[in-house]
Amino acid sequence: MTPSLRHGLRLMSLWLVWLLAMLFHVDLGLMPLFHGQSPEIHSHVEASALPWLFGAMLGYFLLPLIAVVLIAYACTSSAPPQRWRAWRRIHFWFSVVYSVTNLPHLIADILVPDARVDQIVLMAGLVVVGLLINLEGWSWWRNEPAANG
């Protein structure tokens, strides 16, 4: 197995695990609905800003899906190896942004007065998976011999 394919498989798996955990985080947040309780969190977001917020969340979920597809193409392309080097660099920094956004979310989940342990554990897992994505992305970008893409 080539180094590019090895990194690609690891990255695709990690991103998919991250996405599933993120969806489960949202799902767990809604679980009180099924037990006659309100999942409402007191929000300071104006109703007029909600469409923007929903769009931002859509983008937050779609970008990792796009990354998975681009990783698959980068690792299986018959094009010259250097063609995908810029994508590997962009991917690494993209993954760092996602890790940076998960840390405040974890902290916020911990600081919520009625914090739920399941949500905190899941967010901690998301942070760990994000850090693994960062490490693998760094390795894919920096440590791979130029001949292997």
Side-chain angles (χ1 to χ4, degrees):
M1 179 179 299
T2 67
S4 183
L5 187 56
R6 184 177 62 247
H7 290 301
L9 287 172
R10 288 177 183 171
L11 283 167
M12 288 185 295
S13 297
L14 287 166
W15 273 116
L16 292 174
V17 165
W18 186 91
L19 279 162
L20 287 171
M22 187 59 122
L23 288 172
F24 192 50
H25 178 66
V26 172
D27 186 46
L28 274 177
L30 296 175
M31 286 303 286
L33 280 175
F34 301 108
H35 300 282
Q37 299 175 352
S38 173
E40 184 177 0
I41 297 171
H42 298 290
S43 176
H44 302 289
V45 177
E46 297 293 325
S48 62
L50 287 179
W52 180 88
L53 180 64
F54 296 154
M57 284 305 299
L58 176 64
Y60 196 78
F61 279 99
L62 286 178
L63 289 174
L65 290 172
I66 293 167
V68 169
V69 172
L70 289 173
I71 291 166
Y73 275 85
C75 294
T76 60
S77 175
S78 60
Q82 283 67 28
R83 179 176 182 189
W84 291 95
R85 185 144 178 89
W87 162 240
R88 293 195 312 260
R89 180 183 65 247
I90 290 166
H91 170 267
F92 169 72
W93 290 109
F94 169 73
S95 73
V96 168
V97 168
Y98 269 67
S99 290
V100 168
T101 61
N102 277 328
L103 282 171
H105 192 135
L106 172 61
I107 292 166
D109 279 355
I110 291 169
L111 296 178
V112 169
D114 55 346
R116 290 179 32 205
V117 175
D118 57 339
Q119 292 288 53
I120 294 169
V121 169
L122 196 47
M123 274 311 301
L126 278 162
V127 168
V128 169
V129 171
L131 294 174
L132 290 173
I133 292 170
N134 297 155
L135 289 171
E136 194 64 36
W138 174 263
S139 182
W140 188 43
W141 171 34
R142 303 299 291 185
N143 299 333
E144 191 171 303
N148 290 327

